[in-house]
Amino acid sequence: MLGRRHQGHYYIKMVKSFQAIVFCVVIISCREAKADDTAQKWSPRNNKYWRHLLKEQSGLDDGNGEHFDDMQSCVQTALSESNDVLLQDKTAVPTIVDTLTDSQNRTVLVEIGNAITPSQVESVKRLAACTRLYFPESRFDHREFTMSGGGNDCTFMNILLQIFSPEVFENVINIAKLAYEKAGWGEQLRLRPPHMCGLRTAEYLNYKEFKRLGGHADTGSLFTVLFALSDPKLYQGGEFYLLPRDEPDNRMYYFKPRQYSAIVFLSETHHGVTDLEGPREMFTNEFWVYDDAPWHSSTRAENSEMDWFVQRAEETLDH
């Protein structure tokens, strides 16, 4: 499975300094059980926390004024100025490039080629630019990973993605579904399919001011969909690495994703980015057991917040 070692595929490196990090499927199962009753009553993909914003064409207020019309105008103007990008789109179909399994023979990562089109990449970048313009304090973070080092400049686009770039949002779900079915995560780990999960966060990541991303896990999420927006020839290093649980000798798997490809992996698996030089842009999305995180939640909502939102919604219906 890992016979090829060239760009876009995995190669193996032994890392002795890393401790084995245990990925606990029980944790995910517990979260599944805890939210199970909630999910049955509040089925994700109802878009209940943002559909009213789209219907009313308002509500995008972060304390510094209403910006729904501003965002809509900004995105439409930007895209109308770049119609030539549409001509670059190819009819190539997303395809499975490779998979990675752990020591228990469970698939932890799926690589997909042709996962996003040039015009969709342009939509993501334009949406990120408009978001930083109108929400510079509440939706942008020069994010440093103090515990493990490195970081990235992060533009948080959850809800804005669903409202202003619905075709990209739909593609994120479709790519997640393709990986989910290939990995057998429903049968192996009893994880819900993407269309029954909510989008916890959608982030445009730029590494211009950072030279690496320290190892971490996307704790609290089920699976993460990471799109490569940059041509890997434009930057040196910057390899994505993954440490599956119970891997013998702490074996790390590294690869450098091709432009327009996607990496879909189990969120709580330890991962990071090696030292890099040059422009590296990524688009990451995390799915979880709740519905899409509300506009007024934290930029990367926590389980406790969603429990509160669900409770308030139930109280509202009861009255």
Side-chain angles (χ1 to χ4, degrees):
M1 179 182 66
L2 299 174
R4 292 174 291 180
R5 299 295 196 271
H6 60 303
Q7 179 179 303
H9 296 273
Y10 307 102
Y11 63 91
I12 302 173
K13 180 184 289 185
M14 306 300 291
V15 178
K16 296 182 180 180
S17 60
F18 279 82
Q19 279 190 327
I21 296 179
V22 178
F23 174 102
C24 184
V25 177
V26 174
I27 292 178
I28 293 180
S29 298
C30 288
R31 290 198 178 101
E32 280 274 288
K34 180 179 179 182
D36 210 36
D37 292 338
T38 296
Q40 291 177 11
K41 185 174 183 179
W42 299 97
S43 177
R45 293 278 65 81
N46 281 339
N47 310 323
K48 58 181 172 291
Y49 292 123
W50 60 266
R51 60 187 176 189
H52 63 288
L53 303 178
L54 182 59
K55 180 179 179 180
E56 298 169 4
Q57 301 281 290
S58 65
L60 295 180
D61 187 344
D62 64 346
N64 294 309
E66 168 63 44
H67 292 299
F68 191 101
D69 291 341
D70 295 327
M71 281 294 300
Q72 189 170 52
S73 176
C74 180
V75 171
Q76 291 176 347
T77 300
L79 291 179
S80 66
E81 294 174 351
S82 57
N83 283 334
D84 56 317
V85 177
L86 292 172
L87 300 178
Q88 302 176 26
D89 279 355
K90 301 178 181 180
T91 57
V93 176
T95 56
I96 303 296
V97 174
D98 217 335
T99 61
L100 178 65
T101 57
D102 64 11
S103 59
Q104 303 299 317
N105 202 34
R106 290 173 296 202
T107 301
V108 296
L109 182 149
V110 178
E111 181 185 1
I112 300 174
N114 302 316
I116 188 169
T117 67
S119 63
Q120 289 172 340
V121 169
E122 189 67 16
S123 294
V124 170
K125 292 183 178 181
R126 295 296 184 177
L127 180 61
C130 293
T131 300
R132 291 191 298 273
L133 177 63
Y134 291 106
F135 305 102
E137 297 181 3
S138 63
R139 298 284 153 173
F140 175 77
D141 186 15
H142 185 71
R143 185 168 60 180
E144 296 186 46
F145 283 54
T146 56
M147 296 296 292
S148 56
N152 47 47
D153 284 330
C154 179
T155 304
F156 298 95
M157 304 187 299
N158 192 30
I159 303 304
L160 300 175
L161 178 71
Q162 292 93 312
I163 292 175
F164 300 112
S165 296
E167 74 290 345
V168 176
F169 175 51
E170 188 67 25
N171 184 62
V172 172
I173 296 174
N174 290 337
I175 293 300
K177 181 180 178 181
L178 181 61
Y180 176 91
E181 293 174 348
K182 176 63 178 180
W185 285 331
E187 297 176 358
Q188 287 187 335
L189 303 179
R190 298 183 63 189
L191 298 183
R192 297 175 187 166
H195 69 279
M196 287 298 294
C197 295
L199 190 63
R200 180 186 191 181
T201 185
E203 305 170 2
Y204 166 78
L205 307 177
N206 191 307
Y207 289 85
K208 184 178 180 180
E209 302 297 327
F210 291 92
K211 303 305 179 184
R212 61 185 291 263
L213 179 62
H216 65 286
D218 299 335
T219 306
S221 298
L222 298 180
F223 33 86
T224 300
V225 184
L226 180 65
F227 294 91
L229 308 186
S230 300
D231 184 342
K233 295 179 181 179
L234 299 178
Y235 60 88
Q236 296 74 49
E239 295 163 319
F240 179 88
Y241 64 82
L242 195 82
L243 173 60
R245 79 182 190 101
D246 298 333
E247 195 66 18
D249 300 313
N250 300 337
R251 181 178 296 172
M252 306 284 287
Y253 294 83
Y254 294 72
F255 72 93
K256 201 168 184 177
R258 296 170 179 169
Q259 189 176 28
Y260 308 128
S261 66
I263 304 163
V264 187
F265 60 96
L266 295 177
S267 300
E268 300 209 18
T269 308
H270 188 76
H271 61 278
V273 178
T274 63
D275 294 347
L276 68 101
E277 290 289 341
R280 184 180 190 271
E281 299 172 283
M282 308 296 283
F283 173 46
T284 188
N285 304 264
E286 297 176 27
F287 288 85
W288 66 348
V289 297
Y290 297 95
D291 205 335
D292 297 344
W295 171 253
H296 287 294
S297 64
S298 301
T299 48
R300 188 174 182 278
E302 299 297 334
N303 290 356
S304 58
E305 288 184 86
M306 294 306 296
D307 289 337
W308 183 85
F309 276 108
V310 170
Q311 180 180 353
R312 288 295 301 274
E314 289 177 338
E315 291 174 351
T316 300
L317 284 183
D318 290 340
H319 289 82

